Amino acid sequence: MIVNLPERKVGIVSCSGEGCVEGTVSRIATRLVLEKIHPENTVTICLPLFLAGGKEERAFAKDYPTIAVDGCDKLCAKTGTERHSGKIASSIVVTELTSGPNRLGSGSRRKLSDEDLALAESVAEKIAQEVDKILNRWR
Ligand code: SF4
């Protein structure tokens, strides 16, 4: 439940993909931002609840800037958020970040490789940069 939020909060909504490792990476990266990088400035929105009609989640995404983090170009988090609450502030797609040194290692959804975890950290840094941009607009 979202109540009495301070004025300056950024919402992060991660896709809930279980069918590919990139979905898992998107969730881990989101948690890293929420718990370690920007714990004071971010909240998450549960995508399944949001899509199921969660009133507070939809109201939050209407009133606060929201970053969508999607595992792949199906863009479930971005599309769902924009369909029910309006335009998002930023969109990050893990598969667009998985070339070169960030190539995924294991391809397994059950056990992430060191490379997958490094990618999650890299995605978390990208999310954090987007959070910083939004926060800077408020300063
Ligand atoms: S964006 Fe891709 S990985 Fe995420 S839930 Fe949708 S299909 Fe699955």
Side-chain angles (χ1 to χ4, degrees):
M1 181 181 293
I2 300 168
V3 288
N4 296 327
L5 281 171
E7 270 182 38
R8 295 178 179 182
K9 284 280 182 185
V10 178
I12 305 176
V13 54
S14 170
C15 83
S16 52
E18 291 291 347
C20 64
V21 68
E22 289 88 349
T24 306
V25 166
S26 70
R27 288 194 299 286
I28 291 173
T30 296
R31 288 244 68 92
L32 286 171
V33 177
L34 292 163
E35 292 170 7
K36 296 197 168 163
I37 305 177
H38 271 304
E40 306 296 324
N41 307 110
T42 57
V43 296
T44 193
I45 296 168
C46 174
L47 184 60
L49 178 57
F50 182 92
L51 296 177
K55 287 193 174 104
E56 287 168 345
E57 283 72 17
R58 290 185 180 185
F60 177 87
K62 274 188 184 132
D63 295 338
Y64 290 80
T66 300
I67 299 168
V69 185
D70 280 301
C72 75
D73 62 6
K74 300 264 194 297
L75 303 179
C76 298
K78 177 178 188 271
T79 306
T81 305
E82 292 196 330
R83 181 173 301 143
H84 297 293
S85 294
K87 192 160 173 52
I88 57 165
S90 180
S91 168
I92 291 168
V93 183
V94 173
T95 48
E96 291 179 359
L97 305 173
T98 54
S99 58
N102 285 329
R103 277 171 58 98
L104 287 174
S106 65
S108 166
R109 288 171 286 133
R110 292 180 183 274
K111 188 173 186 313
L112 296 184
S113 68
D114 289 346
E115 289 84 1
D116 300 332
L117 293 171
L119 173 64
E121 288 177 2
S122 169
V123 174
E125 285 167 18
K126 176 90 177 135
I127 299 169
Q129 287 170 6
E130 296 303 307
V131 172
D132 286 334
K133 282 187 205 165
I134 293 167
L135 294 175
N136 283 335
R137 278 187 229 138
W138 281 326
R139 290 188 177 120

